[in-house]
Amino acid sequence: MDLMIFWAVLLGIISRPTFGKELGNLPHIIMIIGDDMGSNDVSYRGSNQVTTPNIDALGYNGVILDKHYTQAICTPSRAALLTGKYPIRTGMQGLPLNSGEDRHLPEGIQTLPQLLKDLGYSTHMVGKWHLGAARRNDTPTGKGFDTHFGYWSGYVGYFDYMIQTQVESINQVYTGFDLKEKFRDAWSEQGKYATDLFTEKALEVIENQDKNTPMFLAVTHLAVHTGKDNLVEVKDEKVMNDSFGYIQDLTRRKYVDALLQLDQSVGLIVEKLQEQNMLENSVVIFMSDNGAQLVGDYRNGGSNYPLRGSKSSLHDGGIRNAAVLYSPLLKQKGYVYEEILHITDWLPTLYSLAGGDLSSLKGMDGFDQWQSISENKPSKRDEILANINEITGYSGIIGYKGRYKIINGSISSKHDIFGPELEDNIDYDIPAILNSPVNKAIRQLNASQNYLNTESIQNLRKISSKLNDDNKCKNSKNRKNPEICTSFCLFDLMEDPCETENLIEDETKQVIISGLKARLAEFWKQLVPQTNKPVDVNSNPAKYNGTWCTWLDDELCVKTPIKSVS
């Protein structure tokens, strides 16, 4: 062999990323996303009202991401996840997208599934989309996913998969069925409980996966968002009451029942990965898209305690959310990562992990955080733009390595409240964690690691739940009557993670305030105006056999049969 060719080949082999057991074996990537789930609803955070054994086991065996930030509401959060960009770059920073609204991710934008597909991945989505459906190119399979089973809108009924939308321009309500397998209306699945159905479809994807092809699977659950009649729906009311009758608030009881179904889904997915010999070379991430809805029409019974704020709020209750990661590829496991991360970081992190060239990514706000998470090193992030809504003027930014947050204004006083502390109704069920499908699946791996035991679980939970210590709230009495930010507020998240004390008038903090205001002003200059639109009267499901269809591709939709007049 020519000497130059020999060295070129050798260097090429050396430079290739090594994952799993074999050289160049790219990792499977599985993201499981809960909807409107409170940061206090995972029991590793210290709540003694319910135990979430599979989610906890995933984090205890891997990494608990203590300061994982998202956007405050559904559409912006999902746009940030799939693009690696703050929503102000894509015009998606406003209200959640309505069914029948012609709004979508910009054409030509790089998305995580498309980038992974270009690297040879098969890409699949099961569950919620909520990023546009006026045209087929706006839906998941138009944005990089090979397959999609689920719904395009913000939520549906847990059994009937129907959703209503108010059409302001004509003062009417449109109602339609929204459950698709690609573009086929999945009427035959109606009546099945959503969490079970989406889990079943996710397991089918895993089972049918070509073992020689890396897989990206996003399972974006309806749970624990409200469903029909603005309530979280449960599989069986009697079972719910028998299991969780100790919870007095019926809304909360329903929520907990649905939450445990979500936790079981995590267990079944991880179990299936192990059965298919895929877990040993997988990265499994669980997170919520934003905080729990504490008030209003979509109050679901979730808890963000002791953090301040509901879904929609830029206080940490709306944007600092539960997240864990497990992978045998982690260099360090079984610890709590306490540095700041943002949902935009997942695109560059996972793309790089899959062997992608980060220099090819355009205009990322996210950072490749794999080494930071895997080796417990400092985050590559100095700041997080919480959001800018130019219509309301509501904005916020976190700076100084996550220590200080400045907020300008309020989404509304009702969303910037503190939720109630949960009652401690049960003992933390450590045997349930040790015997969970997630923990059992991980124990079956041939990887050398220190497996969980009672002591390690207690130690990790103590670290994870330190936020629930009342002493961490700087001024606890302000929880009952918090100062609402009518203009600028400053909070020290290290000393006061509950955001009880506004430091905007503190003379010693004026340099910090000026710096954060200046950074926020820079982002204002870069903002792309939001693309929110009214519901299009032409989207009426009555025209399309009672279903939500890609109405701007009208010729591709199933039309309502015209009844003959006899």
Side-chain angles (χ1 to χ4, degrees):
M1 180 184 288
D2 183 271
L3 187 60
M4 291 185 67
I5 295 175
F6 169 80
W7 283 111
V9 171
L10 182 60
L11 288 171
I13 293 172
I14 293 172
S15 65
R16 290 173 67 190
T18 303
F19 301 107
K21 290 186 175 180
E22 299 178 8
L23 197 64
N25 186 16
L26 299 180
H28 305 295
I29 298 168
I30 300 91
M31 303 190 83
I32 308 170
I33 301 176
D35 198 345
D36 288 10
M37 179 177 167
S39 58
N40 192 37
D41 292 321
V42 280
S43 50
Y44 69 74
R45 275 282 312 277
S47 169
N48 284 328
Q49 194 173 66
V50 63
T51 300
T52 49
N54 290 291
I55 296 170
D56 288 21
L58 202 65
Y60 291 151
N61 281 289
V63 181
I64 292 169
L65 306 175
D66 182 59
K67 294 185 177 70
H68 181 268
Y69 284 88
T70 66
Q71 300 305 124
I73 47 179
C74 306
T75 296
S77 210
R78 292 159 198 274
L81 172 66
L82 292 189
T83 66
K85 301 174 186 282
Y86 293 134
I88 63 161
R89 313 286 190 197
T90 58
M92 304 296 277
Q93 67 269 27
L95 293 170
L97 193 148
N98 287 312
S99 298
E101 180 184 352
D102 179 15
R103 179 158 54 111
H104 52 83
L105 290 174
E107 293 297 327
I109 196 167
Q110 295 173 304
T111 66
L112 177 58
Q114 185 60 62
L115 288 164
L116 292 176
K117 190 173 179 178
D118 291 344
L119 294 175
Y121 276 71
S122 66
T123 58
H124 309 276
M125 177 177 244
V126 176
K128 175 175 174 174
W129 172 239
H130 210 192
L131 289 171
R135 306 161 192 80
R136 290 196 171 192
N137 282 340
D138 301 336
T139 66
T141 52
K143 299 299 181 186
F145 286 103
D146 293 324
T147 67
H148 173 239
F149 179 94
Y151 57 105
W152 295 333
S153 52
Y155 70 97
V156 288
Y158 280 70
F159 292 98
D160 64 10
Y161 302 96
M162 306 292 286
I163 183 171
Q164 295 182 331
T165 294
Q166 179 72 38
V167 189
E168 300 288 351
S169 61
I170 56 175
N171 194 28
Q172 288 187 14
V173 174
Y174 287 172
T175 302
F177 177 75
D178 186 3
L179 187 64
K180 311 282 183 180
E181 185 153 13
K182 282 195 174 179
F183 302 107
R184 181 184 65 82
D185 297 312
W187 287 104
S188 62
E189 308 289 1
Q190 197 171 38
K192 295 181 181 178
Y193 189 65
T195 308
D196 289 347
L197 179 58
F198 296 148
T199 304
E200 173 190 321
K201 295 298 181 180
L203 299 183
E204 288 178 6
V205 169
I206 296 168
E207 199 163 81
N208 295 329
Q209 176 65 26
D210 179 355
K211 301 306 182 292
N212 296 315
T213 303
M215 174 189 72
F216 172 52
L217 170 61
V219 186
T220 54
H221 275 289
L222 168 61
V224 279
H225 198 290
T226 55
K228 191 174 182 180
D229 300 324
N230 286 335
L231 294 171
V232 175
E233 297 175 70
V234 299
K235 285 176 65 174
D236 188 308
E237 294 271 352
K238 184 179 185 305
V239 171
M240 175 198 71
N241 289 322
D242 289 345
S243 301
F244 308 111
Y246 58 83
I247 299 174
Q248 297 301 307
D249 181 351
L250 180 58
T251 301
R252 175 69 183 171
R253 197 184 311 160
K254 288 176 177 288
Y255 178 94
V256 165
D257 187 88
L259 173 66
L260 266 293
Q261 300 298 325
L262 174 61
D263 182 83
Q264 289 176 20
S265 175
V266 174
L268 290 169
I269 289 170
V270 173
E271 186 177 59
K272 178 61 71 172
L273 289 169
Q274 172 58 14
E275 287 176 6
Q276 297 296 308
N277 297 316
M278 295 167 67
L279 184 59
E280 64 185 9
N281 191 34
S282 287
V283 177
V284 184
I285 301 158
F286 175 86
M287 72 171 90
S288 176
D289 63 340
N290 46 250
Q293 179 88 15
L294 304 182
V295 293
D297 289 340
Y298 303 105
R299 175 187 172 241
N300 64 354
S303 172
N304 304 321
Y305 181 86
L307 298 175
R308 177 179 178 179
S310 177
K311 172 184 177 179
S312 301
S313 172
L314 298 185
H315 288 289
D316 269 20
I319 60 175
R320 179 179 169 183
N321 295 301
V324 296
L325 180 151
Y326 171 77
S327 175
L329 310 179
L330 290 165
K331 291 187 177 179
Q332 288 193 36
K333 305 182 186 73
Y335 76 95
V336 180
Y337 187 67
E338 299 188 72
E339 300 265 334
I340 59 170
L341 301 168
H342 187 253
I343 194 169
T344 54
D345 294 336
W346 289 114
L347 186 148
T349 298
L350 297 174
Y351 182 63
S352 176
L353 189 60
D357 177 10
L358 288 175
S359 67
S360 68
L361 301 181
K362 303 171 184 176
M364 290 290 108
D365 291 303
F367 294 87
D368 175 7
Q369 300 276 21
W370 180 256
Q371 187 178 35
S372 302
I373 297 169
S374 179
E375 301 178 31
N376 197 11
K377 291 186 174 181
S379 172
K380 293 183 179 179
R381 243 179 210 290
D382 293 317
E383 66 182 12
I384 292 170
L385 178 66
N387 198 35
I388 298 174
N389 187 322
E390 76 278 17
I391 302 299
T392 64
Y394 186 39
S395 60
I397 190 169
I398 301 170
Y400 297 88
K401 288 288 185 179
R403 176 159 187 176
Y404 292 102
K405 179 199 287 186
I406 200 164
I407 290 177
N408 186 17
S410 170
I411 186 66
S412 75
S413 58
K414 69 179 183 179
H415 285 95
D416 291 342
I417 61 170
F418 290 95
E421 182 175 4
L422 298 179
E423 298 176 357
D424 286 345
N425 300 108
I426 61 171
D427 292 329
Y428 189 49
D429 193 349
I430 292 177
I433 294 159
L434 294 172
N435 293 312
S436 67
V438 164
N439 196 53
K440 286 182 176 180
I442 291 171
R443 285 188 67 94
Q444 291 174 28
L445 295 177
N446 293 322
S448 58
Q449 66 177 75
N450 295 319
Y451 292 117
L452 289 185
N453 56 47
T454 298
E455 184 179 3
S456 62
I457 288 173
Q458 289 173 333
N459 289 337
L460 283 167
R461 191 174 192 238
K462 184 176 181 180
I463 298 169
S464 301
S465 62
K466 64 184 179 182
L467 189 63
N468 282 3
D469 182 351
D470 283 340
N471 294 326
K472 293 298 290 182
C473 291
K474 189 75 173 180
N475 195 337
S476 295
K477 67 177 183 294
N478 285 349
R479 290 179 60 86
K480 294 182 179 179
N481 188 26
E483 175 187 352
I484 303 301
C485 300
T486 55
S487 58
F488 280 103
C489 287
L490 176 74
F491 300 98
D492 183 341
L493 299 178
M494 181 180 292
E495 297 296 325
D496 180 30
C498 305
E499 299 172 90
T500 58
E501 189 171 56
N502 180 12
L503 303 175
I504 201 70
E505 301 296 336
D506 188 332
E507 291 297 326
T508 67
K509 300 292 191 291
Q510 294 311 303
V511 172
I512 292 168
I513 292 166
S514 296
L516 290 173
K517 283 184 176 180
R519 285 297 293 147
L520 200 52
E522 288 180 34
F523 281 115
W524 269 94
K525 293 175 184 177
Q526 300 166 25
L527 177 145
V528 173
Q530 58 189 268
T531 54
N532 298 60
K533 296 179 182 178
V535 173
D536 187 345
V537 296
N538 296 310
S539 67
N540 192 352
K543 297 169 57 178
Y544 302 115
N545 203 30
T547 68
W548 291 100
C549 189
T550 52
W551 73 97
L552 293 182
D553 286 335
D554 176 82
E555 69 280 5
L556 301 174
C557 290
V558 176
K559 307 298 191 303
T560 301
I562 299 174
K563 295 180 180 180
S564 60
V565 179
S566 56

